[in-house]
Amino acid sequence: MFPPALETFVELFNARRYWESHEELERPWREGGSGFYKGLILYASAFVHLQNGNAHGVQAQLTKAARELGPYTPTYLGIDVAAVLAHASAARRVVEHEEAGWPERIDVPPLRLRRTRVRGTEAELRAG
């Protein structure tokens, strides 16, 4: 079973409710200090900046998210972290080059939770 906060985060993120998804993981992150949750929070917050047209904010948050999520590759707690990092890198390049219509050119793929990618030893499972 996935932590309820992570399941809700994924649902909200996939509904493009990035602010709400970010907020969903705040409490468990603060309580447990999960670097994985912190990375997902930063990843979601980058798309809050995207929705607001803030190129600098997108770049900064994706860079921080990549730094936090890097140790969790290739997968962690059911999330394909390698795919998230590849998307973050591609999105940063689009913003960096200020390509025409950059906000619309960044397609945010949905996150999927896959039980086959859970080791069962993740600290977040013990914390709930």
Side-chain angles (χ1 to χ4, degrees), residues 42-110:
L42 291 164
Y43 186 66
S45 70
F47 302 112
V48 172
H49 289 291
L50 178 74
Q51 290 173 326
N52 294 325
N54 177 354
H56 176 75
V58 173
Q59 284 271 60
Q61 295 305 85
L62 288 175
T63 298
K64 290 187 245 178
R67 189 169 40 245
E68 289 294 328
L69 291 172
Y72 298 95
T73 59
T75 62
Y76 189 80
L77 204 53
I79 299 284
D80 185 344
V81 177
V84 169
L85 292 176
H87 173 261
S89 179
R92 281 197 321 268
R93 281 194 304 275
V94 169
V95 176
E96 181 181 327
H97 292 35
E98 298 179 46
E99 296 179 16
W102 71 267
E104 295 79 23
R105 295 221 30 233
I106 298 176
D107 181 36
V108 184

Side-chain angles (χ1 to χ4, degrees), residues 2-42:
F2 296 108
L6 180 60
E7 288 186 287
T8 302
F9 168 85
V10 169
E11 289 172 19
L12 291 167
F13 185 92
N14 291 345
R16 298 185 184 277
R17 294 175 56 193
Y18 304 120
W19 176 257
E20 291 90 344
S21 69
H22 154 279
E23 287 293 302
E24 185 64 28
L25 287 182
E26 280 283 331
R27 185 187 52 75
W29 167 61
R30 290 188 187 283
E31 289 174 358
S34 169
F36 179 66
Y37 283 172
K38 182 178 180 183
L40 291 177
I41 289 167
L42 291 164

